[in-house]
Amino acid sequence: EWYWAREFPDVYEWLFDDLILDVKDPDIDISFTYPNPADQYLRVESKFKGHHYSIYTSDGLMLRTGKATDDTLDVSGLRSGLYFLLIQDPGGRKQLLSKFFKQ
């Protein structure tokens, strides 16, 4: 935890203060991601289209960000390992942090 606070203060605040201490909205529109572990593609079950996403390494380095046009994210270019997927609704009001493994 101290590493995040020292090296990535903005991510630390978001990850450890905002997300962990935040009370989640029970009617969140994002369900889950699968398969886990992923090989080529990662599916995001969501009630809305056009969500924004960011993929982070376990060290907090953002590798990819964008706007999803469908429920499938191509993760074939990632190396094997642990990653974090941040998904936000189009309005930026709701977000979900999910971890996944790439085979």
Side-chain angles (χ1 to χ4, degrees):
E1 189 175 329
W2 62 268
Y3 172 80
W4 286 87
R6 186 189 72 209
E7 298 295 324
F8 305 99
D10 293 334
V11 174
Y12 174 84
E13 181 178 328
W14 169 79
L15 183 62
F16 290 101
D17 292 340
D18 296 344
L19 284 183
I20 293 175
L21 300 178
D22 190 19
V23 175
K24 301 294 182 216
D25 189 351
D27 64 341
I28 191 164
D29 294 331
I30 302 167
S31 301
F32 55 89
T33 57
Y34 66 93
N36 196 2
D39 185 31
Q40 300 291 322
Y41 297 97
L42 190 66
R43 290 195 47 89
V44 178
E45 288 289 323
S46 174
K47 292 182 183 178
F48 51 81
K49 302 295 181 217
H51 55 268
H52 298 275
Y53 71 93
S54 300
I55 297 176
Y56 294 89
T57 65
S58 58
D59 294 330
L61 176 66
M62 185 188 334
L63 297 179
R64 190 180 303 167
T65 187
K67 183 176 179 181
T69 56
D70 58 17
D71 290 342
T72 305
L73 298 177
D74 182 5
V75 295
S76 61
L78 300 176
R79 293 182 180 176
S80 296
L82 172 66
Y83 295 91
F84 292 94
L85 174 67
L86 174 66
I87 305 168
Q88 292 182 316
D89 70 356
R93 296 180 315 274
K94 297 179 182 179
Q95 59 188 10
L96 172 73
L97 182 66
S98 175
K99 69 179 173 182
F100 70 95
F101 292 93
K102 167 69 169 78
Q103 289 183 343

